[in-house]
Amino acid sequence: MKLHEYQAKEILAKYGFPVSPGMMVKHLGEVDEALKRFPEGPWVVKAQVHAGGRGKAGGVKLAKSDQEARQKASDILGMTLVSPQTGPAGKLVKKIFITPAVDYVKELYVSVVLDRSHRCPVILASAEGGTEIEELAAHKPEAIQKVYVDAAQGLHGYQARQLHLALGLPKDKVAQGAKLFQDMVRIFMDLDLSLIEVNPLVVLKDGNLHCLDAKIAFDDNGLGRHKEYAPWRDPDEEDARELQASEFGLSYISLDGNIGCLVNGAGLAMATADAIQHFGGSPANFLDVGGGATAKAVTQAFKIILSDSRVKAILVNIFGGIMKCDVIAQGILEAAKEVGLTLPLTIRLEGTNVEKGKELLAASDLKYQFASSMDEAARAAVAAVTGRNSGS
Ligand code: GDP
Ligand code: MN
């Protein structure tokens, strides 16, 4: 679960980080209240969307007067923000954050993520922070420092002080910097995060540090231990189909292709996606209906797949173990009837009750192509969207 900047800053403030207060605004009518609460301009008006790169995309604007603040708020609220992190469709801005602007002399980058190969948290930090960090990571990776963290003990004091000095931060502020890095790791561990990022972390004229932007993402597997943050989820920012699927115990992830996939088991679902790619196609989703899905859940899964207008063909790939092939067949038939399925449908069934499943399908008036292997199924689905058979 990702948080908005204004929420991430609330957590940072609770842990005593140097952040500016501000107000989240959903309607233009509330802008004046924000200006009243923080009467000292200039202000920064910032789009609140779950994506980075807002600055370059026109979602972060400085306002020097009340009037300018109202103008920038009206420009940003309701805009469709397109950044490399939003995808080409962009994100509709439904919330903004109004905060007093800060003068600074230097921008840095700091984050904590999990390093899976080292099996521990790692701090990534650079003296060259700000909006060009992706460029830096791509073209000058040596400018990004890595500090591996002992998960049981946290970041040691000496590591934190070394990092402060390595980043060229003011020597007389080493205690402040070291505490900030240690506390970032502390929050990462306390809240079971997958990411905490401050970019930019800035140096003020007097040498003090300040957090200008913040990103936090919870590891969903740890969210059960942090129920107080459950209401912080913003459904506006979540994929509607993913939310709907989770209500039916289906694990669904939107992808950007056009072949809808209905599969049982995460491994088979990934293998199916690979097979589709191999034959030159592109999956529209990952969907694991699980081991014990009912005909109702399968119907629901079909509805979710079909609610995506990009889907041009459907591939059902089931290996029946606990999940019985006849249940899947029933689900397919019910769903087809309910939603008026007209898209090309390829079905591959194997395993428990496969004969019963095939009989049910054969006895129906459903139009589909049966495939007896995964390769054949993937090839048929790709042919259905491209109109040509692929060789390999
Ligand atoms: P992002 O582009 O989504 O990462 O949004 P940020 O909050 O990081 O803002 C982008 C850029 O806007 C920063 O790197 C700064 O250069 C600038 N910026 C943001 N807040 C302030 C501020 O209070 N004062 C000044 N001078 N610049 C700011
Ligand atoms: Mn930023």
Side-chain angles (χ1 to χ4, degrees), residues 29-322:
E30 300 156 9
V31 173
D32 281 358
E33 196 195 323
L35 299 178
K36 209 157 71 187
R37 234 190 257 181
F38 307 103
E40 285 284 310
W43 302 266
V44 189
V45 181
K46 311 182 78 172
Q48 298 297 289
V49 287
H50 286 183
R54 298 165 302 165
K56 279 187 177 176
V60 176
K61 290 267 160 72
L62 191 74
K64 292 192 175 125
S65 65
D66 285 26
Q67 198 198 343
E68 214 183 333
R70 284 184 210 106
Q71 184 57 48
K72 303 289 180 199
S74 112
D75 291 347
I76 297 175
L77 207 54
M79 80 183 278
T80 299
L81 188 141
V82 184
S83 87
Q85 293 186 25
T86 61
K91 282 204 155 172
L92 182 65
V93 179
K94 293 189 171 177
K95 301 180 176 77
I96 54 173
F97 188 54
I98 299 180
T99 177
V102 170
D103 253 345
Y104 60 83
V105 292
K106 192 171 164 48
E107 290 186 313
L108 296 101
Y109 174 91
V110 196
S111 68
V112 185
V113 291
L114 195 66
D115 186 314
R116 288 174 192 276
S117 53
H118 286 78
R119 302 179 185 186
C120 66
V122 62
I123 300 187
L124 304 175
S126 175
E128 301 173 51
T131 53
E132 301 295 336
I133 191 70
E134 280 85 7
E135 306 285 308
L136 189 77
H139 300 114
K140 209 174 145 195
E142 68 279 6
I144 296 176
Q145 320 235 8
K146 288 185 179 181
V147 183
Y148 297 100
V149 179
D150 182 325
Q153 301 190 30
L155 187 70
H156 293 294
Y158 77 89
Q159 289 180 299
R161 289 188 292 275
Q162 262 175 6
L163 178 61
H164 180 95
L165 297 174
L167 290 170
L169 289 167
K171 288 206 174 65
D172 60 325
K173 302 292 179 193
V174 70
Q176 190 189 35
K179 180 173 183 317
L180 188 143
F181 301 135
Q182 284 183 304
D183 285 346
M184 273 181 79
V185 171
R186 189 164 295 140
I187 299 178
F188 182 83
M189 298 302 293
D190 280 1
L191 299 184
D192 296 311
L193 302 182
S194 59
L195 167 76
I196 177 166
E197 179 189 274
V198 176
N199 183 37
L201 170 70
V202 296
V203 183
L204 308 179
K205 279 196 193 103
D206 60 8
N208 282 310
L209 300 175
H210 200 81
C211 304
L212 264 203
D213 185 17
K215 265 206 195 95
I216 282 182
F218 282 86
D219 180 337
D220 285 349
N221 296 309
L223 263 181
R225 304 203 289 195
H226 309 287
K227 295 211 164 66
E228 67 276 27
Y229 292 105
W232 286 33
R233 187 184 288 279
D234 184 349
D236 286 344
E237 295 286 329
E238 311 261 338
D239 185 293
R241 279 183 279 274
E242 288 178 15
L243 275 180
Q244 207 187 346
S246 68
E247 283 166 24
F248 285 85
L250 304 163
S251 87
Y252 175 97
I253 294 161
S254 278
L255 301 171
D256 45 22
N258 56 8
I259 298 177
C261 303
L262 190 152
V263 187
N264 69 328
L268 190 61
M270 283 192 270
T272 305
D274 282 349
I276 289 172
Q277 297 269 6
H278 177 76
F279 291 110
S282 180
N285 65 280
F286 166 102
L287 194 158
D288 171 10
V289 294
T294 56
K296 203 168 157 218
V298 173
T299 308
Q300 197 57 39
F302 257 100
K303 281 191 186 165
I304 292 170
I305 292 177
L306 289 169
S307 68
D308 181 350
S309 61
R310 294 167 311 174
V311 170
K312 299 291 177 252
I314 296 179
L315 171 52
V316 176
N317 188 10
I318 299 293
F319 192 85
I322 301 169

Side-chain angles (χ1 to χ4, degrees), residues 8-31:
K9 282 182 169 171
E10 198 174 318
I11 293 178
L12 290 185
K14 209 161 75 185
Y15 275 79
F17 279 67
V19 286
S20 299
M23 184 173 147
M24 189 273 282
V25 165
K26 286 188 194 171
H27 307 284
L28 284 178
E30 300 156 9
V31 173

Side-chain angles (χ1 to χ4, degrees), residues 368-384:
Y368 65 97
Q369 182 169 358
F370 196 84
S372 52
S373 73
M374 186 146 136
D375 274 15
E376 194 184 319
R379 213 178 298 189
V382 173

